[in-house]
């Protein structure tokens, strides 16, 4: 259903096959610019907004999260791209938050953003985007990509 309504394969432009790209959108500048640049390159782009925290369960009002989701939806509307929302609340809790709290209890100094990137953004989000029919997943995060002679790519690590 989602694939047929929002994600569609696009043809070739100048002999080059254009991709369907799912962009993780927050409503902020970085993800909005990433979506815009991909669209300007001729790719079929859809915005995917991730919810990673259940404010109702925690007893907080969630007004900020709802405003962020609505900002992301409006950006997608303005750019003329599809919008899809997905919840990774359970995954965030088990893969990021619980290990963070356990680490703090052991006296470790952890950064939950690293675990979020590894488990949510670059694993669950990417798998979700591909399952929806996207060829690629993108975010507004910046990265230096190293290309191998064999044509593959990856993210270089710090020395």
């Amino acid at each position: 259903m989602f694939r047929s309504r929002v994600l569609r394969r696009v043809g070739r432009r100048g002999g080059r096959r254009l991709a369907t790209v799912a962009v993780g959108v927050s409503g902020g500048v970085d993800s909005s610019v990433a979506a815009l640049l991909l669209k300007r390159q001729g790719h079929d782009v859809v915005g995917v907004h991730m919810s990673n925290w259940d404010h109702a369960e925690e007893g907080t009002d969630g007004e900020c999260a709802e405003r962020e989701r609505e900002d992301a939806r409006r950006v997608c509307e303005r750019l003329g791209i599809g919008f899809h929302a997905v919840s990774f609340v359970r995954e965030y809790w088990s893969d990021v938050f619980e290990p963070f709290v356990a680490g703090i209890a052991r006296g470790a100094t952890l950064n939950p953003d690293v675990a979020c990137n590894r488990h949510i953004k670059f694993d669950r989000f990417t798998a979700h985007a591909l399952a929806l029919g996207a060829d690629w997943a993108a975010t507004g995060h910046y990265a230096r990509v190293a290309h191998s002679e064999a044509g593959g790519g990856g993210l270089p690590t710090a020395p």
Side-chain angles (χ1 to χ4, degrees):
M1 176 183 86
F2 176 76
R3 181 179 175 143
S4 65
R5 287 191 352 198
V6 181
L7 290 178
R8 63 190 184 289
R9 304 291 179 182
V10 293
R12 295 179 179 267
R13 180 180 287 167
R16 178 173 67 102
R17 183 185 177 284
L18 302 176
T20 300
V21 183
V23 178
V25 292
S26 65
V29 173
D30 295 343
S31 62
S32 301
V33 169
L36 174 64
L37 293 174
L38 287 163
K39 183 177 178 183
R40 283 185 177 170
Q41 291 173 3
H43 297 289
D44 183 26
V45 179
V46 63
V48 179
H49 180 74
M50 299 176 281
S51 297
N52 297 330
W53 195 259
D54 186 346
H55 294 277
E57 184 177 307
E58 294 299 310
T60 59
D61 70 12
E63 182 181 327
C64 184
E66 184 54 39
R67 190 170 43 244
E68 185 179 274
R69 181 185 180 281
E70 184 57 22
D71 287 346
R73 188 199 62 73
R74 276 196 304 269
V75 165
C76 290
E77 183 179 297
R78 177 80 186 243
L79 294 176
I81 65 174
F83 175 77
H84 177 73
V86 61
S87 172
F88 291 126
V89 169
R90 287 188 197 114
E91 295 86 349
Y92 185 88
W93 186 269
S94 64
D95 295 341
V96 179
F97 187 70
E98 285 181 336
F100 173 72
V101 171
I104 295 297
R106 291 189 316 271
T109 304
L110 302 175
N111 182 342
D113 292 341
V114 173
C116 183
N117 286 341
R118 177 181 298 125
H119 298 293
I120 304 300
K121 293 177 186 161
F122 300 132
D123 182 14
R124 299 285 167 70
F125 167 74
T126 301
H128 183 76
L130 298 176
L132 292 173
D135 299 306
W136 296 95
T139 70
H141 294 91
Y142 308 129
R144 177 174 292 136
V145 178
H147 297 280
S148 71
E149 291 180 19
L155 300 176
T157 58

